[in-house]
Amino acid sequence: MSNPEYILTLSCLDQRGIVHRVSGFLAEHGCNIIDSAQFGDSESRLFFMRVHFAREDHNVNDDLLRADFGLLAAEMKLDWEMRDAHYKPRVMLMVSKIGHCLNDLLFRYKSGLLPVEIPAIVSNHMDFYQLAASYNIPFHHLPLATGAPQEAKLAQEARIIELMDTHKIDLVVLARYMQILSPGLCTALKGKAINIHHSFLPSFKGAKPYAQAHHRGVKLIGATAHFVTGDLDEGPIIEQDVERVDHSMDADTLSAIGRDVECVVLARAVKWFVEHRILQNGDKTVVFK
């Protein structure tokens, strides 16, 4: 029988001996560290740490391990979480009428590249119900008409929250879900929702961004994955990437390249989240790759 494995993440004000005390605690409780990473931010004066370890002493049970670490955490004023390393987080995907990110995440999930469970797909359109059915995942159509009153929007978002509660969702992924979320829903999703959007140098907003970029002759296109906050597309950044483009490429080619970048960037962000590699540092993130 294999030994139980955990992932411990923590942050606190930087101080001497954090690594020593945490690793010493694990050794004293019959645990073996598999890998460990840490970072001290000189600006925020915060220290961040992620430890993947196995509990090898069967005289130390799960409850004792957590209770004893809680005492150490209280003494050192640690903000911490200790999770089962083999638990597959439950992810809800949300999409509108653009499906490349949805399709990519579903393929990675089905092929075992993304260690998650996906109990629900939510959309304000019906375009991808057959795709959801092909993966045997329930599809929830929650329409919201253009220009719908605030009452209708809040009722639709209440259904989203209800689905999250019903399915015990750990992470919501906005896989090109083209609706602005209300402040209330953003608050409910704090720290457990990831969005993806294109990012250009310079930036183009509004309709047909790739056509705008082509018209301006951009040389770089890319994508940004970030946590959802009440500030539209300005939450803590998790991952970004870019591709070089040139004058020979038309707007459709730029769009195709952009879709590929968006898929890769979003998949990385989701994978790092479910592997508990992302710690928030104010308006930024620490990502232990």
Side-chain angles (χ1 to χ4, degrees):
M1 185 174 179
S2 60
N3 295 313
E5 294 183 15
Y6 299 81
I7 294 176
L8 168 67
T9 56
L10 63 88
S11 62
C12 62
L13 283 175
D14 205 352
Q15 54 194 283
R16 279 197 203 93
I18 301 172
V19 174
H20 173 74
R21 295 195 66 181
V22 170
S23 59
F25 171 91
L26 294 175
E28 291 164 5
H29 286 73
C31 299
N32 181 47
I33 293 176
I34 297 170
D35 64 71
S36 177
Q38 54 273 333
F39 170 70
D41 185 347
S42 60
E43 293 183 3
S44 67
R45 298 181 59 203
L46 293 176
F47 180 85
F48 302 86
M49 188 173 183
R50 178 188 184 273
V51 186
H52 179 192
F53 66 92
R55 175 167 54 86
E56 297 179 345
D57 185 345
H58 298 292
N59 293 316
V60 177
N61 62 32
D62 183 85
D63 290 340
L64 178 63
L65 180 68
R66 293 175 185 274
D68 284 0
F69 192 82
L71 297 175
L72 176 64
E75 178 187 342
M76 299 183 68
K77 296 181 172 58
L78 308 180
D79 183 7
W80 65 285
E81 290 188 78
M82 189 182 294
R83 307 173 181 91
D84 178 352
H86 296 300
Y87 169 74
K88 291 185 177 181
R90 298 172 64 79
V91 176
M92 184 166 79
L93 303 179
M94 298 181 64
V95 65
S96 291
K97 295 175 72 70
I98 303 173
H100 56 281
C101 288
L102 173 68
N103 190 55
D104 180 77
L105 290 172
L106 290 175
F107 173 78
R108 292 172 190 268
Y109 152 73
K110 192 67 174 180
S111 58
L113 298 173
L114 198 57
V116 299
E117 299 292 346
I118 304 178
I121 295 173
V122 171
S123 181
N124 54 327
H125 297 281
M126 284 294 292
D127 296 56
F128 300 111
Y129 78 95
Q130 290 178 317
L131 178 62
S134 72
Y135 284 92
N136 199 29
I137 298 174
F139 182 88
H140 300 272
H141 180 218
L142 305 181
L144 191 64
T146 302
Q150 184 71 1
E151 294 79 8
K153 183 176 182 64
L154 294 179
Q156 188 242 24
E157 291 188 344
R159 283 285 293 123
I160 294 172
I161 294 174
E162 181 182 330
L163 286 169
M164 291 174 58
D165 292 340
T166 298
H167 294 290
K168 297 180 172 56
I169 297 299
D170 300 298
L171 174 67
V172 173
V173 179
L174 305 185
R176 296 304 301 269
Y177 181 68
M178 308 305 287
Q179 289 288 324
I180 296 175
L181 306 185
S182 71
L185 184 55
C186 289
T187 298
L189 294 175
K190 184 178 180 181
K192 56 181 180 181
I194 294 174
N195 191 22
I196 183 74
H197 66 84
H198 65 79
S199 54
F200 293 112
L201 300 175
S203 177
F204 301 99
K205 297 182 179 180
K208 299 182 178 179
Y210 288 99
Q212 295 179 55
H214 177 258
H215 180 72
R216 287 288 302 279
V218 301
K219 300 299 185 280
L220 284 173
I221 61 174
T224 297
H226 60 90
F227 282 114
V228 172
T229 67
D231 297 320
L232 183 63
D233 291 341
E234 294 186 11
I237 293 170
I238 300 169
E239 173 63 342
Q240 295 177 296
D241 207 347
V242 295
E243 287 286 344
R244 294 203 66 85
V245 295
D246 62 38
H247 63 277
S248 68
M249 300 174 182
D250 60 18
D252 288 341
T253 301
L254 297 190
S255 181
I257 294 171
R259 288 194 297 269
D260 289 344
V261 178
E262 288 173 12
C263 288
V264 171
V265 168
L266 183 58
R268 286 177 190 156
V270 173
K271 188 171 189 291
W272 293 338
F273 182 96
V274 301
E275 292 177 349
H276 313 297
R277 297 183 180 277
I278 307 167
L279 286 78
Q280 291 202 47
N281 180 17
D283 294 329
K284 302 183 292 185
T285 61
V286 173
V287 182
F288 292 120
K289 300 178 183 179

